């Protein structure tokens, strides 16, 4: 396909140039990234309306999946211009194809927020669904510590790095063991991770309320009650805190 289009819109022309030189593509290259995608969309539409064929590529992964592309796709659909996609390397599907799961359901949230509160809010939203996210190697350890603090040291996580590359690595274990591993093996490369879905609690809400009342009668503080119930039954601390209040 890239050998038969007139133009290739690239996230970074320097990266795509390596591919073009290796395979002898004659198409003209121009940049199309997250900072100029709206402007470039108009250029691409004009080229297509002139009868030219244009391909969109990203440096790695797949356009539109945490990469530029969605703005352009919206513009093309509005104009009724035909689009087709060639499936290629994508960290999400590559990662999931190597991870054992009980069902096919998962939530992909792109890059997880940097802020701890926002991280926990979005992870809580999908706590009963396998939650897949991208993260920087510089921030992953902090994110794993946040998961450990919120969901306990036994929370199951998977981390993949440098997928499809020379140093590809997949680790699946408790968050505590994953943290310990990467403390000894410094993180490098592109990261995709998953917090496994929490199993549905066997304890009903009425039973939890009764446990809370029992602990109140014993003189435990609301903070201690939240910590104890969360630890014993694997419930989210924020949820338990609201019940205690």
């Amino acid at each position: 396909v890239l050998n038969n289009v007139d133009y290739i819109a690239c996230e970074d022309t320097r990266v795509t140039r390596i591919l073009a030189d290796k395979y002898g593509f004659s198409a003209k290259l121009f940049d199309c990234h997250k900072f100029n995608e709206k402007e470039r969309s108009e250029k691409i539409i004009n080229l297509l309306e002139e009868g030219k064929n244009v391909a969109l590529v990203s440096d790695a992964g797949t356009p539109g999946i945490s990469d530029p592309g969605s703005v352009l796709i919206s513009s093309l659909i509005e104009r009724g211009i035909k689009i087709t996609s060639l499936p290629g390397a994508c960290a999400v599907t590559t990662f999931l194809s190597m991870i054992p799961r009980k069902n096919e359901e998962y939530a992909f949230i792109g890059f997880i927020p940097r802020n701890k509160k926002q991280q926990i809010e979005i992870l809580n939203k999908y706590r009963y669904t396998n939650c897949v996210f991208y993260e920087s190697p510089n921030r992953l350890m902090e994110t794993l510590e946040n998961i450990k603090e919120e969901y306990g040291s036994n929370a199951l996580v998977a981390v993949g790095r440098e997928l499809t590359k020379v140093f590809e690595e997949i680790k699946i274990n408790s968050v505590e063991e994953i943290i310990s591993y990467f403390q000894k093996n410094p993180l490098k490369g592109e990261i995709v991770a998953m917090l496994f879905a929490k199993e549905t609690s066997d304890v009903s809400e009425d039973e939890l309320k009764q446990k809370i009342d029992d602990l109140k009668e014993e003189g435990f503080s609301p903070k201690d009650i939240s910590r104890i119930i969360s630890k014993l039954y694997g419930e989210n601390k924020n949820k338990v805190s609201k019940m205690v209040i």
Side-chain angles (χ1 to χ4, degrees), residues 7-77:
Y7 294 87
I8 302 176
C10 320
E11 193 173 359
D12 187 330
T13 56
R14 294 168 297 181
V15 175
T16 306
R17 175 60 62 193
I18 298 170
L19 189 71
D21 290 345
K22 181 176 178 63
Y23 292 102
F25 301 150
S26 60
K28 296 178 181 178
L29 309 184
F30 62 89
D31 62 349
C32 180
H33 46 71
K34 65 180 181 179
F35 300 109
N36 71 355
E37 188 177 353
K38 186 174 182 180
E39 170 194 334
R40 286 291 189 260
S41 293
E42 289 302 314
K43 175 177 180 175
I44 291 170
I45 287 169
N46 290 336
L47 289 170
L48 293 170
E49 289 179 340
E50 289 172 9
K52 306 294 184 181
N53 287 318
V54 184
L56 173 69
V57 300
S58 50
D59 292 348
T62 297
I65 309 297
S66 286
D67 271 335
S70 61
V71 173
L72 172 60
I73 291 166
S74 294
S75 298
L76 295 177
I77 289 173

Side-chain angles (χ1 to χ4, degrees), residues 110-176:
F111 279 93
I112 194 167
R114 297 186 183 190
N115 179 273
K116 178 181 177 180
K117 182 180 178 182
Q118 292 176 334
Q119 282 186 356
I120 300 306
E121 283 178 354
I122 198 165
L123 291 174
N124 281 342
K125 180 179 178 181
Y126 299 109
R127 192 62 190 99
Y128 293 95
T129 305
N130 293 319
C131 189
V132 184
F133 58 89
Y134 292 159
E135 180 58 292
S136 158
N138 300 324
R139 295 192 299 270
L140 180 65
M141 294 298 280
E142 184 179 347
T143 297
L144 292 174
E145 289 288 355
N146 292 341
I147 290 173
K148 177 182 175 181
E149 181 181 333
E150 183 69 14
Y151 305 115
S153 58
N154 290 324
L156 187 62
V157 298
V159 174
R161 72 178 190 91
E162 291 294 88
L163 301 184
T164 76
K165 301 178 186 178
V166 176
F167 298 106
E168 176 179 285
E169 182 177 36
I170 296 278
K171 290 293 176 184
I172 307 169
N173 213 323
S174 68
V175 66
E176 185 169 52

Side-chain angles (χ1 to χ4, degrees), residues 30 96 167 182 199-200 203 209 212:
F30 62 89
L96 289 174
F167 298 106
F182 284 119
E199 298 291 338
T200 304
V203 183
K209 288 177 181 177
I212 290 169

